[in-house]
Amino acid sequence: WIVAVAILAHTASASVREYHWEVEYKFGFPDCKEGMVMAINGKFPGPTIHALAGDTIVVHLTNKLTTEGLVIHWHGIRQLGSPWADGAAGVTQCAITPGETFTYRFTVEKPGTHFYHGHYGMQRSAGLYGSLIIDAAKGKREPLRYDGEFNLLLSDWWHESILSQELGLSAKPMRWIGEAQSILINGRGQFNCSLAAQFSNATAQFSNTSLPMCKFKKGDQCAPQRLHVQPNKTYRIRLASTTGLASLNFAVQGHKLMVVEADGNYITPFATSDIDIYSGESYSVLLTTDQDPSQNYWISVGVRGRKPKTPPALTVLHYVTAPSSQPPSSPPPETPRWNDFDRSKSFSRKILAAMGSPPPPRKFKKRLILLNTQNTIDGATKWALNIVSLVVPATPYLGSVKYRLRRGFDRKSPPTTFPVDYDIMNPPRNRNTTKGNGIYVFPFNVTVDVILQNANGLDANASEIHPWHLHGHDFWVLGYGEGKFRPGVDEKTYNLKNPPLKNTVALFPYGWTALRFVTDNPGVWFFHCHIEPHLHMGMGVVFAEGLNRIGKIPDEALGCGLTKQFLMNRNNP
């Protein structure tokens, strides 16, 4: 990993870490096949930001793309006092136009494993992402003990360009993007070859023919980065998933993983042989190198939740006491069955808050029940919430609410629930939906419950996993359930003792997930499915809170749509 050089300005207790980034396309070989990648200062993935809790991050971001806008979302950072820096195009800012520079400035509150990524169109799937690691403030110690650490950013990779994918998703009829060609670990994967080709069963299910052994030359961009470890040590492995589509499973051959952090929050540690990780999630696991030190071991990242047509990504845990060139002596770990959702739910229910974590409020003030459906509009396939498919307006919501621009978006709130007789187990009787850009407005500092309700898609016997991500907040995950949520009944099953704080959570097929958060962060915040094509097809809503408490917004964040003319009139009376 290459860490961008930061200009540090020290204060008594914290630092300002300043970066100058340029984003442009370049040719690269993420999976040994040449393609276009989005690079930051020529690097793919982008530079890792390392900071301490309490530091201020300043990123001067220059768009050197020739025909596309650009923003970067700082995934997992709450943006207290800086909602305009959240990096959600059309929600908190205008897209940065080609040739322009925009400056993000925000403070990072607490230690955690996070990442950043593009949030305009489907640029995340083009490779616009990198890691954001926050360590404990100077003089403070994390409640974790380990001898070294590794940072693994997991992603999926298509050979088709994102512009072609976007066109296909909007076509009538829709042209689905299909499964990814490769899974990448730190931007590196292998297409049409295998690190484990000597084990014939390792790749047979993903190819009509046995894949050949990968052969790398010095400097190959797709050669895996091995993890070099010493025997009898404990290592922290930071994991983050920036996938566009795939849910993943991470395993290290022969080693137990102790899960200690989820989405930047400490959890009650638990041991597992493998870990499910959905798009938008991050974890830390502790691994102890207590196996035969004369051997090397596979690290495997396979697809879960979708019928796998993409081979697992592989790299090697290399004990420095073993020969460097020696491959592991047995096949890689087998990824659990893709549709074993009971296994997936069992893992999710093991994630509980660490002792001393803030408990949730006992009761809610407002509640939304959001039905996730697949529908059509004039022959185009869409995703919708309560039968409304989101279309983000030309004027960013943050500018419209700050400057009271009534025409910026539909001021009528979207539905807060769905008809009680809706059949979630079968395709919708009415396949049609409507477009909308209304938002949910909440008072400041109230407790809100959100019930995510899954349903059958347009095809029979098809209900998908949806990882939901909330900007500007962590939320408590109160519980999961099967079938249709029953108000007045299912609340009795909530975990109010030690629910985990997260910013991304899975909604399982034909079930519901219950969340609780407090509207304590003035601003306008995106809440959406983190699967790129689903968001592109309308699977999101927008929350607004504390609108009279929103502070000053830099003019350059809002130089488009109705806010552009408003600012021109205000600055030139």
Side-chain angles (χ1 to χ4, degrees):
W1 283 87
I2 299 173
V3 180
V5 176
I7 302 171
L8 298 183
H10 293 278
T11 65
S13 58
S15 298
V16 176
R17 299 177 184 267
E18 190 169 6
Y19 303 83
H20 294 263
W21 287 358
E22 295 182 345
V23 174
E24 58 188 334
Y25 281 108
K26 61 174 280 188
F27 288 112
F29 294 82
D31 63 353
C32 304
K33 179 179 173 65
E34 188 178 47
M36 288 170 51
V37 299
M38 275 193 170
I40 298 176
N41 293 351
K43 305 300 180 185
F44 163 74
T48 296
I49 291 179
H50 285 277
L52 303 182
D55 285 353
T56 296
I57 306 294
V58 179
V59 178
H60 306 285
L61 185 66
T62 299
N63 182 358
K64 298 197 76 174
L65 308 171
T66 54
T67 60
E68 296 176 57
L70 171 73
V71 296
I72 285 182
H73 169 54
W74 314 95
H75 188 110
I77 305 302
R78 289 196 61 198
Q79 300 294 350
L80 282 165
S82 54
W84 54 269
D86 185 55
V91 179
T92 59
Q93 71 170 103
C94 304
I96 307 164
T97 55
E100 296 293 322
T101 298
F102 180 78
T103 298
Y104 292 97
R105 185 183 185 95
F106 55 91
T107 299
V108 292
E109 300 172 73
K110 57 188 176 68
T113 301
H114 304 293
F115 61 102
Y116 61 84
H117 60 79
H119 214 302
Y120 181 74
M122 291 172 59
Q123 291 178 347
R124 174 159 51 95
S125 289
L128 184 54
Y129 46 72
S131 292
L132 174 53
I133 307 300
I134 312 302
D135 287 312
K138 193 172 183 180
K140 304 282 187 180
R141 293 187 67 179
E142 284 194 87
L144 304 174
R145 299 291 176 263
Y146 49 90
D147 302 299
E149 72 174 61
F150 299 98
N151 181 31
L152 301 183
L153 193 58
L154 311 178
S155 55
D156 41 12
W157 186 254
W158 283 261
H159 296 160
E160 182 183 13
S161 75
I162 59 166
L163 297 180
S164 178
Q165 290 183 38
E166 291 171 359
L167 179 62
L169 292 170
S170 302
K172 303 177 185 180
M174 176 191 69
R175 299 185 186 182
W176 178 238
I177 65 173
E179 304 304 311
Q181 275 68 58
S182 304
I183 304 298
L184 308 183
I185 303 174
N186 288 351
R188 295 166 179 247
Q190 295 79 43
F191 175 71
N192 275 349
C193 71
S194 173
L195 301 178
Q198 70 271 37
F199 305 106
S200 58
N201 63 339
T203 60
Q205 61 178 310
F206 307 103
S207 177
N208 293 327
T209 59
S210 296
L211 295 176
M213 177 70 76
C214 295
K215 297 180 180 179
F216 304 107
K217 302 186 298 295
K218 185 176 181 180
D220 277 355
Q221 297 172 14
C222 59
Q225 293 179 335
R226 297 186 299 167
L227 277 58
H228 304 287
V229 296
Q230 297 180 5
N232 301 312
K233 300 288 185 181
T234 297
Y235 292 87
R236 179 180 190 170
I237 301 178
R238 298 180 185 265
L239 300 168
S241 175
T242 181
T243 55
L245 179 62
S247 304
L248 300 175
N249 180 270
F250 174 88
V252 181
Q253 185 180 41
H255 293 73
K256 285 289 186 183
L257 306 173
M258 184 68 68
V259 189
V260 294
E261 177 207 359
D263 290 0
N265 294 285
Y266 300 122
I267 63 172
T268 300
F270 67 93
T272 182
S273 59
D274 56 88
I275 182 170
D276 283 342
I277 180 167
Y278 302 98
S279 178
E281 288 189 318
S282 63
Y283 289 97
S284 282
V285 300
L286 300 181
L287 176 147
T288 299
T289 50
D290 55 5
Q291 299 301 299
D292 183 350
S294 68
Q295 298 293 316
N296 293 318
Y297 301 87
W298 293 113
I299 296 172
S300 177
V301 181
V303 174
R304 293 271 279 142
R306 305 184 64 82
K307 192 170 184 179
K309 299 179 181 178
T310 311
L314 296 174
T315 188
V316 171
L317 185 75
H318 170 229
Y319 278 61
V320 296
T321 46
S324 176
S325 60
Q326 174 181 291
S329 58
S330 56
E334 189 171 332
T335 301
R337 184 164 50 86
W338 71 273
N339 58 354
D340 187 351
F341 296 117
D342 288 340
R343 193 181 199 279
S344 302
K345 295 169 193 174
S346 175
F347 176 83
S348 292
R349 289 190 174 102
K350 292 177 184 176
I351 301 169
L352 301 170
M355 189 177 299
S357 300
R362 303 294 296 181
K363 296 182 178 180
F364 65 87
K365 181 75 172 179
K366 303 282 186 179
R367 179 162 69 187
L368 300 178
I369 304 179
L370 298 177
L371 176 68
N372 293 231
T373 57
Q374 191 181 38
N375 302 88
T376 61
I377 297 178
D378 299 328
T381 303
K382 299 292 181 182
W383 287 95
L385 285 308
N386 293 348
I387 321 300
V388 178
S389 184
L390 180 67
V391 179
V392 175
T395 302
Y397 289 109
L398 188 62
S400 291
V401 300
K402 172 68 174 177
Y403 300 122
R404 297 181 174 88
L405 305 177
R406 301 292 302 178
R407 295 184 295 115
F409 61 92
D410 184 355
R411 293 292 170 147
K412 182 181 178 182
S413 176
T416 58
T417 188
F418 62 94
V420 294
D421 62 349
Y422 188 93
D423 181 5
I424 69 164
M425 303 304 294
N426 291 291
R429 287 193 293 267
N430 179 4
R431 298 167 65 90
N432 296 322
T433 187
T434 58
K435 296 179 182 178
N437 62 21
I439 66 176
Y440 297 99
V441 180
F442 300 114
F444 180 68
N445 214 32
V446 300
T447 301
V448 177
D449 277 12
V450 179
I451 312 300
L452 293 166
Q453 176 67 65
N454 214 338
N456 202 97
L458 288 170
D459 297 327
N461 304 313
S463 184
E464 300 185 27
I465 285 182
H466 300 288
W468 276 85
H469 171 59
L470 178 58
H471 294 220
H473 291 277
D474 285 339
F475 48 72
W476 290 276
V477 183
L478 300 184
Y480 306 88
E482 308 295 329
K484 192 184 293 186
F485 181 79
R486 298 166 297 171
V489 177
D490 286 324
E491 295 94 334
K492 297 173 184 177
T493 68
Y494 285 178
N495 173 16
L496 297 177
K497 179 184 176 183
N498 57 353
L501 274 169
K502 299 187 89 259
N503 60 59
T504 304
V505 70
L507 174 61
F508 294 105
Y510 300 111
W512 55 265
T513 300
L515 320 175
R516 180 167 291 176
F517 72 100
V518 178
T519 59
D520 57 1
N521 191 4
V524 182
W525 307 110
F526 224 159
F527 182 46
H528 60 87
C529 178
H530 210 256
I531 291 175
E532 282 277 62
H534 290 184
L535 176 57
H536 183 77
M537 298 159 73
M539 199 169 198
V541 296
V542 176
F543 298 155
E545 62 198 67
L547 299 184
N548 61 338
R549 296 170 179 258
I550 296 173
K552 180 176 172 55
I553 302 172
D555 287 356
E556 56 266 30
L558 300 173
C560 63
L562 298 176
T563 47
K564 179 178 182 180
Q565 189 61 48
F566 172 85
L567 294 171
M568 289 176 61
N569 294 340
R570 186 194 66 177
N571 296 335
N572 300 284

